Amino acid sequence: MPLHTAPLSRRSFLAQSAAAAAGLLVYRQGWSAEAGANPNRIALLSDTHIPEGPDVLARDTNMTSNLKQVVREILTLTDNPSAVMINGDCAYLKGLPADYANLADCVAPLTQAGFPLHMTMGNHDDRGPFYEAFRNQKPEQPLLQSKHITVVEGPLANWFLLDSLLEVNVTPGEIGDEQRAWLAKALAARSDKPAIVMAHHTPQFEPPAEGKSWGGLKDTTALVELLASIKHVKAFIFGHSHHWATLQRGGLHLINLPPVAYVFTPGKPNGWVLADVRENGLSLELRSLDPTHKQHGEKLSLEW
Ligand SMILES: [Zn+2]
């Protein structure tokens, strides 16, 4: 069972051991996750919204087909990422056991190829059924009892994967006092490298207008104040809004991942992001599901 504070190379080993124990391990020709992966490269996915069956559509989109396409694209990379991360709303709406069974089927080729897989919880996920379907995602000793959180220690940066799920199938999210206090300590204990923090929900600095309800992260101000107060925190990565964008707030980069599923704004790209951590920053490449989309292959270089 993977530790949830293991460095990437160790995680690769553990993922392979778990896969091997389950009889799932299939090496691709001339490649292994341990020896062949680029330790500074991560595949970033978000908002997969995988439903209970592969034929279920939403907004004219087959979410299962979309994720299977992304999985194929990751498997055909020549420079392999050392991990794949799905940043929440892994399941379609209610985090049903059948959703996660379909998701497990979609990501099986990644697991079989030895890619460590990390997932965060969005508002359409449910921790219980998630852990039932992905038993190796449940740590023996959780960092926090009530949350699914992970620290991934990379060679050039550490990744802190938070849990902003507040209530299943209810839109807003929250980090909460307990998780924020844990994060402050976890960040302080790893001040030797840049920190990249990730959670599902979109920052929402202002409360909703009267009569409207929260749509994003309810305690955005408290989280962002914490992140901005710690010099080695360089980026906050999120999803939820299905809207690919990056912006900078002081020294903190804000990265809004595109959805693997459907977009909310017609014309925006859906797809995933190939991230390469550098000594002084992060390179991002948008991989649009539609290779004819004008932003497909767009490369951004964030500096720190
Ligand atoms: Zn969401």
Side-chain angles (χ1 to χ4, degrees), residues 36-120:
N38 178 341
N40 297 310
R41 171 166 276 204
I42 308 272
L44 295 173
L45 285 57
S46 192
D47 295 273
T48 49
H49 289 278
I50 294 302
E52 59 188 358
D55 299 327
V56 177
L57 306 182
R59 298 175 187 250
D60 294 327
T61 302
N62 184 312
M63 295 78 82
T64 307
S65 300
N66 281 15
L67 179 55
K68 285 187 171 176
Q69 179 182 332
V70 170
V71 167
R72 282 196 303 274
E73 289 175 9
I74 293 170
L75 288 170
T76 51
L77 290 170
T78 49
D79 188 7
N80 292 305
S82 54
V84 178
M85 299 180 181
I86 305 179
N87 190 25
D89 284 0
C90 305
Y92 179 31
L93 295 174
K94 297 178 183 170
L96 302 174
D99 299 345
Y100 292 118
N102 188 16
L103 177 61
D105 187 46
C106 291
V107 299
L110 294 176
T111 317
Q112 287 162 12
F115 286 98
L117 183 64
H118 305 281
M119 291 180 260
T120 68

Side-chain angles (χ1 to χ4, degrees), residues 94-202:
K94 297 178 183 170
L96 302 174
D99 299 345
Y100 292 118
N102 188 16
L103 177 61
D105 187 46
C106 291
V107 299
L110 294 176
T111 317
Q112 287 162 12
F115 286 98
L117 183 64
H118 305 281
M119 291 180 260
T120 68
M121 295 287 96
N123 48 302
H124 294 299
D125 290 303
D126 193 346
R127 296 178 200 94
F130 167 72
Y131 282 143
E132 281 296 312
F134 294 92
R135 287 177 186 262
N136 67 347
Q137 294 283 325
K138 184 171 184 178
E140 267 171 7
Q141 294 183 317
L143 297 169
L144 279 183
Q145 285 298 334
S146 59
K147 296 283 192 181
H148 176 63
I149 53 180
T150 311
V151 178
V152 183
E153 296 176 337
L156 296 178
N158 295 319
W159 297 70
F160 298 79
L161 277 52
L162 307 183
D163 179 340
S164 58
L165 166 59
L166 185 57
E167 197 177 333
V168 178
N169 204 20
V170 176
T171 305
E174 191 174 81
I175 299 298
D177 294 341
E178 187 190 26
Q179 185 173 200
R180 216 166 37 250
W182 169 83
L183 178 64
K185 280 189 195 160
L187 288 167
R190 294 171 184 82
S191 59
D192 56 321
K193 286 177 205 165
I196 300 169
V197 177
M198 188 157 95
H200 173 72
H201 280 81
T202 317

